[in-house]
Amino acid sequence: MKVKTRDRILDASLSLFNSIGEPNVTTLLISDEIDISPGNLYYHFKSKGDIVSELFDRYEAELLELVSVPEDADISLDQQGFFLHMLFEAIARYRFLYQDLVNVLSRYDSLQNRFRRLLRKKQHAFRVICASMKRQEIMTIDERELDALCEQLTLTLCYWVSYDSLSHLNDRDSIDPGRGVFQMMNLLAPYLREEERQQARAMSMDYF
C-alpha cells in the first residue's frame, strides 16, 4: 500500500530529528530527504513546529495508553518488567524530545503543559504498580520511600536518553533502551521480597 505523503513527511522528520537533533533539521532538509518540493511539504505542514506538534500527538497517544494502569489489578514483576520495556521502547522512538528536553519545550510552548501532564501520568503509573505489589506483599515500602522511589523512577525514565547519549555523542542512533530497564529494575530490587528481588536481578541481567 502506498504511504501517504503526510505520513512520509512525519516518518522522515522523526528519523532526522532523532539522528541529528531537532534544532539541526530544516523543512528543506526534510523535503530533500523524501524527494518532494518544499511547496508540497508546506501544503501538508505550514512549519516545522506543526510537524513537531503532530509527532508529539503520536507520542502522547502511545504513552497515555501505556500508563493507563488499572488501579485494582494484581501486577506481577514480569508485567512490571514488560511495562518498563514498552516505556523505554516508546521513548527511544521519540527520543529527540528527550535529547535536549528543556530546549525543545522552551521552543514549543504548547507542548509544555502536555509534557508535564505525561510526567504526572508516568509517576502515577509507577505508584499504582508499586501499590499493587505492596498489596500482594511482594514489596515492602513505606509512603515516604514510595514517593521518593516513584519520583526517581520517573526521573530515570525522563533523562535516560540524555545520559545514554553521552557515551556516543557522534551516533545518536545508538540508544540502548535495555540499559534503562536494567537501571529501573535495580532501583526496585531493594524493596522487593527476597524471591522477587532475585527474580528482578535475573530479569535485569537480560538487559545488561
Side-chain angles (χ1 to χ4, degrees), residues 9 27-29 31-32 35-45:
I9 292 169
T27 52
L28 181 60
L29 182 59
S31 59
D32 284 346
D35 196 25
I36 63 172
S37 69
N40 195 350
L41 186 147
Y42 287 127
Y43 173 79
H44 296 280
F45 297 98

Side-chain angles (χ1 to χ4, degrees), residues 114-208:
R114 293 167 67 188
F115 195 89
R116 280 194 288 267
R117 175 173 171 246
L118 280 179
L119 280 181
R120 291 193 297 270
K121 291 279 188 180
K122 292 171 192 172
Q123 192 161 348
H124 180 70
F126 288 132
R127 174 170 276 279
V128 170
I129 290 169
C130 290
S132 174
M133 292 196 287
K134 184 178 178 181
R135 186 173 62 248
Q136 298 172 78
E137 299 183 349
I138 294 172
M139 173 180 277
T140 302
I141 190 168
D142 63 33
E143 282 301 306
R144 184 177 177 182
E145 289 173 324
L146 180 58
D147 287 340
L149 175 62
C150 291
E151 186 169 11
Q152 183 61 54
L153 290 169
T154 306
L155 185 113
T156 302
L157 186 69
C158 189
Y159 287 101
W160 177 256
V161 167
S162 292
Y163 176 78
D164 188 58
S165 296
L166 288 174
S167 62
H168 44 78
L169 290 172
N170 295 323
D171 184 8
R172 289 174 180 249
D173 291 327
S174 292
I175 187 73
D176 183 3
R179 290 286 293 168
V181 178
F182 172 84
Q183 294 297 331
M184 300 278 264
M185 293 300 290
N186 279 283
L187 286 171
L188 286 165
Y191 302 99
L192 299 176
R193 193 170 55 186
E194 181 59 29
E195 179 181 346
E196 282 75 16
R197 186 181 306 136
Q198 295 303 321
Q199 182 187 352
R201 287 172 176 160
M203 289 168 62
S204 72
M205 291 308 295
D206 290 338
Y207 295 97
F208 187 75

